[in-house]
Amino acid sequence: MTSSTRPPVLERFLRYAVLDTESDRDSTTAPSSEKQLRLAELLVEELLALGVEDARIGKGGVVYGSLPATPGCEATPAIGFIAHMDTSPDAPGANVSPQIVRYEGGDVLLNEAQGIVFEAERFPEIRKYAGEDVVFTDGTTLLGADDKAGIAAIVEMVARLQADPSIPHAKICVGFTPDEEVARGTENFDIEMFGARYAYTFDGGEVGGLEYENFNGGTAWVTSTGVGVHPGSAKGKMVNSLRFLAKYIDRLPPEMSPECTSGHEGFVHPNHVEGSVVSSTVRILIRDHDRALYEAKKALLVRIADEINAEFPQAKLDVRIKDSYENMLAYIERTPKVLDVVREAYRRAGLEPVEEPIRGGTDGARLSARGLPTPNVFTGGLNFHGVYECLPVKSLEKACDVALELARLSAEVTSLE
């Protein structure tokens, strides 16, 4: 596929993908990394060039913009389209080098110099896309389809609406958030200024996926405090915090790990450890669709610490837990019209929605809890948060098609009741 034959939505994605927008879990600034503002500024420039006259960067780096309703649709509820600008800190986000490959089946050599191979046996979903153009990484970074594919689909939808004034639509509200990957995407999101009555995040996975229930999610930090003494004279004196932290991690039920769960099953996931003899900490993600089971997992983490503290008096384990987001399902169910509309948009785009729970979180979860019902639409990508992330081009085009159909349907929505 040459640059002259690439669809516009793909050109947009490639332009965004090469920008490093990795967010920072340990930062207290908004956005968490200043480099996210490079993409925010680019998006404002592009939106202004498309005639989105109010495009701007708001508090915390959130990008806002809108298109007025077409004549006769001024009274219809305003519709929102949302995606996030940051990429996950779980894999390198700098020096992204996308490559477009006509996938013919089997493995794909991503990086000859380093011998990095995309193995179809490990990622069997790729086989569904044989005969299609797929965007891969060079095996050293993530791709950024999560969620720059969503941004590309939305901006291209705006471009198509502006190119064809005959398409009727309600007021179109666009929002691009920073820091979704570190659970701070809506921290500074101003719903009133955004202006939509209902919205859709374009932040899902494979083509056809539609999501409106997600994990209740939180994070635990378990800290082990020890006593440091020179190892040459440590007998009976040293308390190695790392050893007791290792005991704690070892007692986490293996059947509750992400590797052993699927569907609606929750998990506890230790994903970062740092420290020394004197003090060490493990960060643990807590997830479950069921609120009671989520609370039980939180209680389990505290109970394991209490048991080790009682069993080993020299151990000093402390658990701190912070809730991040809750399941959006209960909020979406209050306005079922938002699901009727998006299901129809899929069908008009030639797709039957595949409705499934999100095994993660989304900006839409927090926004729904705050009164803006926001289901989640696919972007087409696979294997997010890692160097084997990839994006079938036709799937990205379909995401854009769904966005355009949602815009068309917004002209027909007289009420959300």
Side-chain angles (χ1 to χ4, degrees), residues 44-289:
V44 169
E45 290 177 8
E46 291 193 2
L47 290 172
L48 289 172
L50 289 171
V52 181
E53 297 178 357
D54 62 349
R56 72 275 190 202
I57 300 175
K59 181 181 178 182
V62 181
V63 174
Y64 301 95
S66 66
L67 293 177
T70 53
C73 297
E74 293 87 352
T76 57
I79 183 173
F81 296 82
I82 300 167
H84 66 87
M85 299 179 288
D86 65 317
T87 59
S88 170
D90 291 343
N95 302 312
V96 174
S97 182
Q99 52 182 325
I100 303 169
V101 176
R102 175 57 62 93
Y103 181 64
E104 300 295 354
D107 297 344
V108 178
L109 179 61
L110 300 180
N111 191 312
E112 184 173 7
Q114 299 188 39
I116 302 173
V117 176
F118 183 106
E119 298 176 359
E121 190 67 31
R122 177 179 293 179
F123 305 104
E125 295 84 0
I126 192 63
R127 294 178 176 137
K128 292 182 285 187
Y129 304 97
E132 296 186 20
D133 291 314
V134 179
V135 187
F136 289 93
T137 73
D138 69 353
T140 64
T141 71
L142 47 65
L143 180 62
D146 180 13
D147 186 27
K148 292 168 184 173
I151 296 173
I154 292 170
V155 176
E156 181 59 23
M157 176 270 295
V158 171
R160 293 185 190 181
L161 290 177
Q162 293 293 72
D164 187 354
S166 70
I167 300 175
H169 58 79
K171 179 182 179 182
I172 304 291
C173 305
V174 173
F176 301 126
T177 62
D179 295 330
E180 189 270 353
E181 297 291 2
V182 293
R184 292 174 53 196
T186 62
E187 185 176 78
N188 292 292
F189 194 94
D190 189 326
I191 292 178
E192 183 177 355
M193 184 165 66
F194 183 53
R197 291 277 309 283
Y198 64 113
Y200 301 93
T201 47
F202 278 68
D203 190 19
E206 284 195 81
V207 63
L210 173 61
E211 302 158 329
Y212 48 87
E213 55 178 316
N214 62 282
F215 281 139
N216 297 287
T219 304
W221 292 266
V222 181
T223 298
S224 172
T225 302
V227 176
V229 178
H230 189 287
S233 56
K235 186 174 182 179
K237 302 172 186 177
M238 177 184 286
V239 177
N240 191 334
S241 78
L242 293 166
R243 292 187 180 278
F244 289 105
L245 194 65
K247 291 180 186 292
Y248 182 92
I249 295 170
D250 189 55
R251 292 193 186 184
L252 296 175
E255 68 274 13
M256 286 189 184
S257 68
E259 307 96 303
C260 298
T261 56
S262 62
H264 284 86
E265 296 172 319
F267 58 76
V268 290
H269 176 40
N271 71 343
H272 182 76
V273 176
E274 62 181 10
S276 64
V277 169
V278 175
S279 180
S280 54
T281 299
V282 58
R283 182 178 65 223
I284 303 173
L285 304 185
I286 314 163
R287 303 287 189 266
D288 208 293
H289 287 89

Side-chain angles (χ1 to χ4, degrees), residues 182-183 213-221 266-268 284-295 297-298 301 321-328 358-362 365-366:
V182 293
E213 55 178 316
N214 62 282
F215 281 139
N216 297 287
T219 304
W221 292 266
F267 58 76
V268 290
I284 303 173
L285 304 185
I286 314 163
R287 303 287 189 266
D288 208 293
H289 287 89
D290 183 281
R291 185 73 197 193
L293 294 177
Y294 170 68
E295 294 296 336
K297 286 177 172 60
K298 290 163 61 177
L301 296 184
I321 298 175
K322 180 182 178 182
D323 294 319
S324 297
Y325 47 80
E326 56 185 309
N327 193 339
M328 74 169 85
I358 307 173
R359 287 187 58 77
T362 169
R366 283 199 179 91

Side-chain angles (χ1 to χ4, degrees), residues 315-384:
K316 294 182 180 179
L317 292 173
D318 176 71
V319 181
R320 178 171 65 91
I321 298 175
K322 180 182 178 182
D323 294 319
S324 297
Y325 47 80
E326 56 185 309
N327 193 339
M328 74 169 85
L329 179 60
Y331 301 101
I332 296 295
E333 288 177 330
R334 297 174 187 174
T335 52
K337 184 70 173 179
V338 301
L339 292 178
D340 295 339
V341 171
V342 72
R343 287 171 180 139
E344 179 60 21
Y346 276 52
R347 293 177 181 125
R348 291 191 184 185
L351 299 169
E352 189 61 34
V354 179
E355 301 180 21
E356 54 194 3
I358 307 173
R359 287 187 58 77
T362 169
D363 282 340
R366 283 199 179 91
L367 294 173
S368 295
R370 289 171 54 190
L372 181 66
T374 311
N376 192 41
V377 175
F378 70 91
T379 60
L382 295 81
N383 310 323
F384 295 154

